[in-house]
Amino acid sequence: QVQLVESGGGLVQAGGSLRLSCAASGSIFRINAMGWYRQAPGKQREVVASINIDSIKNYSDSVKGRFTISRDNAKNTVYLQMNSLKPEDTAVYYCVLRGSEYQKMVNDYWGQGTQVTVSS
């Protein structure tokens, strides 16, 4: 019932920038937090950035100072601005929403993923 659609991925040279967007739709009632994960081939999925209901932001050490997570409540959308991209940022990026539908328990909802490729 809750859908997340990511966009903004693509191919970029090292040092460039991309902005990822994740739009939530459907019967979401309460959003506890939203965030971004990424997974490179042969590696575990790792958290990149998150923002909770109090707008507290967290970043992995590898992206601090380069990535910025933000939210537009009116559009039910979360963004990830990625600057100074490095080849090691290459991965599939996934949007995740932690929240609940009306009178239901908290659940995690995942987007389909968007590919980010950074060339050297």
Side-chain angles (χ1 to χ4, degrees), residues 2-97:
V2 178
Q3 295 179 328
L4 302 177
V5 179
E6 299 120 320
S7 62
L11 176 64
V12 66
Q13 291 186 333
S17 298
L18 286 172
R19 190 181 74 160
L20 305 183
S21 299
C22 174
S25 62
S27 57
I28 189 69
F29 176 73
R30 177 180 176 87
I31 299 175
N32 297 86
M34 296 188 73
W36 292 91
Y37 284 70
R38 67 185 182 187
Q39 187 168 28
K43 305 192 74 174
Q44 291 186 327
R45 187 174 298 185
E46 63 176 352
V47 64
V48 176
S50 65
I51 180 168
N52 71 8
I53 192 170
D54 297 316
S55 297
I56 296 174
K57 301 175 182 179
N58 290 109
Y59 299 94
S60 67
D61 289 339
S62 62
V63 307
K64 284 182 179 177
R66 300 188 298 120
F67 291 11
T68 303
I69 189 169
S70 61
R71 184 180 62 209
D72 186 335
N73 292 330
K75 297 181 178 180
N76 296 319
T77 300
V78 65
Y79 305 93
L80 185 68
Q81 179 67 46
M82 305 185 294
N83 298 326
S84 302
L85 283 163
K86 304 175 181 179
E88 50 263 45
D89 295 318
T90 296
V92 177
Y93 284 71
Y94 297 90
C95 176
V96 63
L97 183 156

